[in-house]
């Protein structure tokens, strides 16, 4: 008998039934995200055809004002969510300031942070890109939400999702009950359950980092990366290196194949060492998903989900993937491992 076809709507509804007090608002919010993902997927998949890659202000072949794809995605997500009465405020990578719910619309008890199209520099070379979503509950006492609702720790998330626009479009999400993956069937316009209960494989030997930044890392980071590239690590052989340069694609591969993805602190400006990736709408939602799949996410010193946000666009270092790999990275970064050469086995 062929495998039962389960749409994301049916799966989300089944999940909702395990929460007796559920009102259905959260379910509807997840539906809103899937609708936005379908619309963005359609545009991403024809981006090369309709000159949508042009910069704002250009005219496309239809004489319409061309929007950059990431601005298009940003608009689609906002307009799919602003009127539903399910959100009290939003935060986007594309907007310096919080996105308030227009006065003519009601507000709700949830908060959405998102990166509408991460890795967009890969569009021109047909590389995989993605959208990332982080959902919190409203905490503020104000009726229409305020910036404090956006500045919540990662472990307070009630949901996280990413969409990867690759050889197929997939939506991966967690609401704290495991991680589940759905593949878009464009012929029917439905996300179908393809990867139920994803768990990150143990002992994957893949590391994913931009080695071009090697000279900007500190010695502890270099020592860790050199450990992975030696025969001293747990696998007895050098890890394979894979790097797409699109966080969603690199972490999606890590989720399915194991290993570790990293974006370490850069000391290019010694007076202002900094991570590159954003905490609230990149590292925290991906950290929630990876943690729910049995992995771990760290900034090299602490669980990313524990970081106290100070600013919507705050950056962080990221070490994310197999728990043992990330814990060993923490040991190196915090210099618990004294020297190069024979290393503490990752299982110790
Ligand atoms: P680099 C894409 O621009 C992005 O924000 C992430 O998706 C990706 O992981 C990272 O930056 C790539 O940065 O410096 O390696 O090009």
């Amino acid at each position: 008998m062929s495998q039962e076809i389960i749409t994301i709507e049916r799966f989300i509804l089944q999940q909702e039934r395990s929460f007796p007090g559920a009102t259905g608002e959260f379910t509807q919010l997840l539906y809103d995200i899937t609708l936005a993902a379908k619309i963005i997927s359609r545009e991403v998949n024809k981006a090369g055809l309709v000159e949508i890659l042009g910069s704002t202000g250009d005219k496309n072949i239809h004489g319409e004002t061309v929007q950059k794809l990431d601005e298009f995605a940003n608009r689609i997500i906002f307009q799919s969510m602003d009127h539903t009465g399910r959100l009290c405020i939003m935060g986007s990578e594309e907007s310096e300031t919080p996105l308030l719910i227009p006065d003519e619309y009601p507000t709700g008890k949830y908060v959405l942070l998102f990166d509408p199209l991460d890795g967009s520099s890969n569009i021109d070379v047909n590389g995989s890109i993605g959208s990332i979503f982080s959902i919190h509950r409203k905490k503020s006492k104000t009726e229409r939400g305020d910036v404090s609702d956006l500045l919540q720790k990662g472990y307070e998330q009630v949901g996280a999702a990413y969409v990867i626009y690759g050889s197929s479009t997939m939506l991966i999400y967690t609401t704290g009950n495991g991680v589940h993956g759905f593949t878009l069937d464009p012929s029917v316009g439905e996300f179908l359950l393809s990867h139920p209960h994803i768990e990150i494989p143990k002992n994957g030997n893949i590391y994913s980092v931009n080695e071009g930044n090697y000279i900007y890392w500190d010695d502890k980071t270099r020592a860790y990366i050199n450990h992975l590239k030696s025969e001293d690590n747990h696998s007895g052989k050098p890890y394979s290196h894979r790097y797409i340069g699109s966080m969603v694609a690199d972490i999606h591969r890590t989720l399915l194949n194991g290993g570790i993805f990293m974006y370490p602190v850069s000391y290019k400006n010694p007076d202002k060492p900094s991570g590159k990736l954003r905490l609230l709408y990149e590292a925290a939602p991906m950290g929630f998903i990876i943690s729910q799949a049995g992995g771990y996410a760290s900034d090299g010193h602490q669980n990313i989900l524990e970081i106290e946000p100070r600013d919507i666009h705050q950056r962080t270092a990221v070490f994310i993937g197999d728990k043992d790999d990330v814990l060993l990275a923490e040991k190196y970064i915090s210099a618990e491992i004294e020297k190069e050469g024979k290393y503490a086995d990752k299982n110790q």
Side-chain angles (χ1 to χ4, degrees):
M1 192 170 108
S2 64
Q3 187 178 357
E4 191 181 18
I5 293 177
I6 298 180
T7 65
I8 191 167
E9 286 80 9
R10 176 177 172 182
F11 188 87
I12 291 170
L13 213 47
Q14 284 171 347
Q15 294 270 309
E16 178 193 317
R17 291 194 184 113
S18 57
F19 293 91
T23 63
E25 275 188 87
F26 186 63
T27 295
Q28 287 297 328
L29 174 52
L30 293 175
Y31 290 167
D32 299 338
I33 288 174
T34 60
L35 172 62
K38 291 174 190 175
I39 296 170
I40 296 166
S41 175
R42 183 194 61 201
E43 290 307 307
V44 165
N45 289 327
K46 64 182 183 183
L49 303 176
V50 293
E51 299 165 9
I52 198 169
L53 303 178
S55 59
T56 308
D58 293 349
K59 297 290 185 189
N60 68 15
I61 52 176
H62 307 295
E64 301 154 358
T65 300
V66 173
Q67 283 183 313
K68 285 173 62 177
L69 213 46
D70 42 11
E71 289 173 16
F72 170 83
N74 188 58
R75 178 169 61 80
I76 288 300
I77 294 168
F78 182 74
Q79 291 178 348
S80 301
M81 312 280 172
D82 65 345
H83 60 284
T84 63
R86 291 189 262 278
L87 297 175
C88 66
I89 195 166
M90 289 184 254
S92 169
E93 189 268 348
E94 289 286 329
S95 171
E96 191 53 39
T97 55
L99 298 172
L100 306 180
I101 302 302
D103 290 341
E104 65 264 35
Y105 298 134
T107 57
K109 60 186 180 184
Y110 293 105
V111 179
L112 181 72
L113 290 135
F114 59 94
D115 184 353
L117 209 59
D118 180 73
S120 45
S121 58
N122 287 283
I123 297 172
D124 298 14
V125 295
N126 207 17
S128 294
I129 52 180
S131 304
I132 310 172
F133 302 88
S134 172
I135 305 170
H136 285 275
R137 279 198 188 82
K138 181 176 186 294
K139 284 284 183 69
S140 66
K141 300 299 178 222
T142 54
E143 190 235 338
R144 298 189 72 78
D146 63 38
V147 69
S148 69
D149 291 303
L150 298 172
L151 300 178
Q152 297 186 54
K153 288 186 177 181
Y155 70 72
E156 295 183 278
Q157 292 175 96
V158 291
Y162 67 83
V163 184
I164 178 167
Y165 310 101
S167 49
S168 63
T169 293
M170 281 191 70
L171 187 151
I172 309 290
Y173 88 89
T174 186
T175 56
N177 280 309
V179 177
H180 312 288
F182 301 81
T183 300
L184 181 63
D185 179 340
S187 67
V188 295
E190 284 288 358
F191 278 103
L192 305 179
L193 181 64
S194 55
H195 297 70
H197 304 287
I198 302 173
E199 293 191 356
I200 186 167
K202 298 300 292 171
N203 298 320
N205 63 334
I206 298 172
Y207 77 104
S208 184
V209 68
N210 182 345
E211 288 260 15
N213 293 326
Y214 189 84
I215 61 169
Y216 299 130
W217 297 334
D218 66 3
D219 291 343
K220 292 175 283 188
T221 303
R222 291 182 191 139
Y224 174 60
I225 301 289
N226 292 338
H227 165 70
L228 297 180
K229 294 161 73 170
S230 76
E231 294 181 341
D232 295 340
N233 66 66
H234 73 96
S235 67
K237 61 184 181 181
Y239 273 40
S240 297
H241 182 244
R242 298 286 184 274
Y243 192 71
I244 300 166
S246 172
M247 179 187 194
V248 170
D250 282 317
I251 292 183
H252 184 64
R253 182 201 54 250
T254 304
L255 176 66
L256 296 186
N257 291 355
I260 184 170
F261 167 81
M262 299 164 264
Y263 210 104
V265 170
S266 166
Y267 292 85
K268 184 173 183 178
N269 177 351
D271 302 326
K272 198 180 173 202
S274 166
K276 172 177 185 181
L277 303 178
R278 310 288 185 164
L279 172 63
L280 289 179
Y281 42 76
E282 290 179 338
M286 297 309 247
F288 185 22
I289 290 168
I290 283 284
S291 302
Q292 279 287 310
Y296 177 48
S298 171
D299 65 356
H301 300 277
Q302 62 179 318
N303 187 328
I304 273 181
L305 303 181
E306 299 276 352
I307 298 175
E308 182 76 48
R310 297 178 315 280
D311 174 81
I312 300 173
H313 302 291
Q314 177 174 332
R315 297 175 189 270
T316 179
V318 175
F319 297 81
I320 187 169
D322 173 289
K323 185 177 286 188
D324 290 337
D325 282 316
V326 177
L327 288 172
L328 185 62
E330 281 185 338
K331 277 187 181 177
Y332 273 89
I333 304 295
S334 56
E336 286 177 34
I337 290 178
E338 289 311 311
K339 60 182 177 50
E340 296 214 16
K342 284 298 173 195
Y343 298 88
D345 182 277
K346 70 182 241 176
N347 296 317
Q348 283 174 3

